[in-house]
């Protein structure tokens, strides 16, 4: 008699490598921006941010350092105006978007005569798509939609002109860096770590599954009394899953009643040697690659503790790391925002803007400096922050407009945009 064997084959789906695409060949008026599919770039970035503890810590920490203690002007009379036309919270949101997405945007309001800018608001950049050039030398419009995956919502998208290209009441000031191979959009500086961020999330998912499975090893249970019908097999599988998986079932034992020892079930444990060491290596390597992508010179700056990095003390490490990060990572982001705002304000009717970010210095560094110089933390903070002030560096702000910076989640509600778009009054 020919014996039957029945095996179930499980196919695993692997995440493909991210391929960034500005799709200009569609029939749409706007340019979709995709990474794993069409127009899913912003969703993919948010997903990587949400599942990776290291990425979320780096993005939030660096965004806080970019914003610092706020945006100000050294010109005292203009500073009073600045605080009214650009609320601090709006720039803080722009700094976060710029770090997370590599793209950010203000919605800028003009007076009725279109001679003076009167308000800047943050607009969630994931809700914007650039209009195709269609022979124009630069992007002239952006489209706003609260959900680009909903075709009904897309039909009601709003067309908003780019700053400096129209006489409309409200325009979009888009903030981004140059990025090779792209024109309409840019990429976050940590884009090379998207896969590692997802891998870190998968590691946490693996551990939570181990916990819910009671840390039971992978096993194969063989029933040696024939192959049952498909419906009966499903019933048996459901019963075993219900009785022996989950944290509440850890430590249970199995009873088997058999008419013949030859037909008793056999249980084969599938054991992988040194599995905990492999997981530990992958976790450490993944975290290290994410930190490299974010250009984090010392994880201690963001409360992440790693192996010793060769410094004699944590204070020495933090002071050296902060100095390097301020120069190599924070200042470029700040310069981008300052130069674009300086240019926009100049075009918007203001002179001698003298913008700068009031820097944020970690307390541990200030404490060490105060101890070394016999000064108070407040005195050291004032001196340090003044040294680190990062004013706009353009000799002629009119040489660079927001659009010339071409080719670099907290999800906001649609009402947030519509309220400011529809009801703002001078």
């Amino acid at each position: 008699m020919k014996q039957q064997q029945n095996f179930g084959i499980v196919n695993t789906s692997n995440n493909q490598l991210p391929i960034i695409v500005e799709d200009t060949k569609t029939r749409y008026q706007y340019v979709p921006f995709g990474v794993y599919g069409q127009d899913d770039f912003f969703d993919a970035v948010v997903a990587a941010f949400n599942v990776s503890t290291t990425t979320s810590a780096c993005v939030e920490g660096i965004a806080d350092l970019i914003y610092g203690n706020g945006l100000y002007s050294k010109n005292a009379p203009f500073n009073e105006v600045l605080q009214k036309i650009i609320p601090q919270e709006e720039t803080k949101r722009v700094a976060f978007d710029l770090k997370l997405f590599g793209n950010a945007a203000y919605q800028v309001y003009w007076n009725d005569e279109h001679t003076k800018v009167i308000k800047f608001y943050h607009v969630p950049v994931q809700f914007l798509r650039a209009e195709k050039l269609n022979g124009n030398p630069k992007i002239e419009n952006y489209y706003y939609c609260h959900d680009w995956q909903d075709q009904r919502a897309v039909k009601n998208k709003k067309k908003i002109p780019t700053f400096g290209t129209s006489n409309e009441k409200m325009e979009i000031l888009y903030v981004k860096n140059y990025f090779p191979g792209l024109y309409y959009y840019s990429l976050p500086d940590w884009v090379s770590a998207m896969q590692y961020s997802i891998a870190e999330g998968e590691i946490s998912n693996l551990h939570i599954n181990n916990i819910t499975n009671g840390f039971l090893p992978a096993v194969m249970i063989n029933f040696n009394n024939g192959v049952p019908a498909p419906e009966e097999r499903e019933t048996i599988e459901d019963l075993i899953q219900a009785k022996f998986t989950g944290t509440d079932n850890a430590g249970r034992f199995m009873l088997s009643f058999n008419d013949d020892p030859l037909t008793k079930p056999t249980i084969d444990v599938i054991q992988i040697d040194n599995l905990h060491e492999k997981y530990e290596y992958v976790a450490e390597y993944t975290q290290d690659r994410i930190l490299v992508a974010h250009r984090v010179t010392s994880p201690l700056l963001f409360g992440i503790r790693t192996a010793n990095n060769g410094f004699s003390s944590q204070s020495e490490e933090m002071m050296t790391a902060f100095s390097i990060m301020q120069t190599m990572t924070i200042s470029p982001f700040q310069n981008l925002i300052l130069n674009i705002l300086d240019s926009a304000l100049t075009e918007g009717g203001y002179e001698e803007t003298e913008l700068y970010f009031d820097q944020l210095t970690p307390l541990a560094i200030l404490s060490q400096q105060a101890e070394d110089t016999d000064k108070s933390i407040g005195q050291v903070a004032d001196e340090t922050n003044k040294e680190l002030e990062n004013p706009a560096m353009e000799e002629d702000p009119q040489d660079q407009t927001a659009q010339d910076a071409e080719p670099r989640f907290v999800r906001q509600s649609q009402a947030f945009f519509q309220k400011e778009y529809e009801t703002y009054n001078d």
Side-chain angles (χ1 to χ4, degrees), residues 9 13 64 104 170 225 228 230 256 296 304 325 348 364 399:
I9 306 299
S13 58
D64 285 341
M170 196 268 278
N225 54 351
S256 175
V296 173
I304 302 173
M325 170 163 278
D399 288 344

Side-chain angles (χ1 to χ4, degrees), residues 98-156:
L98 189 59
K99 173 57 185 172
L100 177 61
F101 296 118
N103 301 262
Y106 287 99
Q107 43 185 323
V108 184
Y109 289 87
W110 293 82
N111 61 7
D112 292 336
E113 295 77 23
H114 204 83
T115 58
K116 214 169 191 65
V117 167
I118 56 176
K119 210 74 175 180
F120 285 73
Y121 286 112
H122 160 264
V123 56
V125 72
Q126 65 269 27
F127 296 164
L128 296 176
R129 295 295 184 272
E131 184 182 53
K132 291 180 182 178
L133 291 178
N134 295 322
N136 297 319
K138 62 181 180 179
I139 300 168
E140 294 191 347
N141 296 284
Y142 285 90
Y143 291 93
Y144 172 89
C145 178
H146 71 281
D147 186 356
W148 287 96
Q149 304 304 319
D150 184 346
Q151 292 304 312
R152 288 178 296 181
V154 172
K155 290 180 180 179
N156 297 320

Side-chain angles (χ1 to χ4, degrees), residues 171-383:
E171 296 176 328
I172 292 295
L173 179 65
Y174 205 87
V175 184
K176 67 179 186 295
N177 264 323
Y178 165 78
F179 203 95
L182 300 177
Y183 179 79
Y184 294 92
Y185 308 100
S186 185
L187 297 178
D189 61 342
W190 58 277
V191 65
S192 58
M194 281 188 63
Q195 290 289 91
Y196 290 110
S197 300
I198 295 170
E200 193 171 60
E202 292 293 346
I203 290 173
S204 66
N205 189 49
L206 179 143
H207 288 316
I208 196 67
N209 278 309
N210 272 336
I211 292 172
T212 56
N213 287 328
F215 291 101
L216 295 175
V219 298
M220 178 180 287
I221 301 176
N222 299 290
F223 293 97
N224 301 311
N225 54 351
V227 178
E231 296 81 3
E232 187 178 352
R233 288 204 306 269
E234 291 180 7
T235 301
I236 295 172
E237 290 171 2
D238 292 341
L239 288 173
I240 291 177
Q241 182 176 9
K243 286 182 176 292
F244 298 103
T245 62
T247 52
D248 293 337
N249 294 325
R252 284 191 174 187
F253 57 90
M254 180 186 294
L255 289 177
S256 175
F257 302 95
N258 308 286
D259 293 326
D260 189 333
L262 297 177
T263 61
K264 69 178 181 180
T266 58
I267 300 176
D268 299 320
V269 177
I270 303 173
Q271 194 64 266
I272 302 176
D273 295 335
N274 302 322
L275 190 58
H276 65 288
E277 295 179 2
K278 291 182 173 64
Y279 290 152
E280 183 178 0
Y281 169 77
V282 172
E284 291 179 355
Y285 182 76
T286 298
Q287 183 184 73
D288 178 73
R289 295 299 90 189
I290 293 173
L291 294 174
V292 169
H294 285 280
R295 293 177 291 175
V296 173
T297 46
S298 172
L300 285 174
L301 291 172
F302 305 116
I304 302 173
R305 184 177 298 277
T306 57
N308 185 279
N309 291 321
F311 291 91
S312 59
S313 67
Q314 289 185 6
S315 176
E316 178 189 353
E317 176 182 347
M318 289 188 69
M319 286 189 289
T320 303
F322 181 70
S323 176
I324 297 172
M325 170 163 278
Q326 183 66 37
T327 303
M328 304 300 294
T329 304
I330 306 304
S331 290
F333 280 107
Q334 291 178 332
N335 284 335
L336 177 62
I337 297 173
L338 290 172
N339 290 339
I340 285 181
L341 284 178
D342 186 68
S343 175
L345 288 168
T346 300
E347 186 172 346
Y350 299 94
E351 298 179 355
E352 299 180 6
T353 58
E354 299 183 57
L355 303 179
Y356 73 95
F357 278 105
D358 186 17
Q359 303 296 332
L360 178 66
T361 306
L363 181 60
I365 294 177
L366 297 177
S367 299
Q368 184 63 41
Q369 290 178 330
E371 182 180 340
D372 293 342
T373 58
D374 293 326
K375 296 180 180 179
S376 69
I377 291 180
Q379 290 174 319
V380 171
D382 291 339
E383 294 174 1

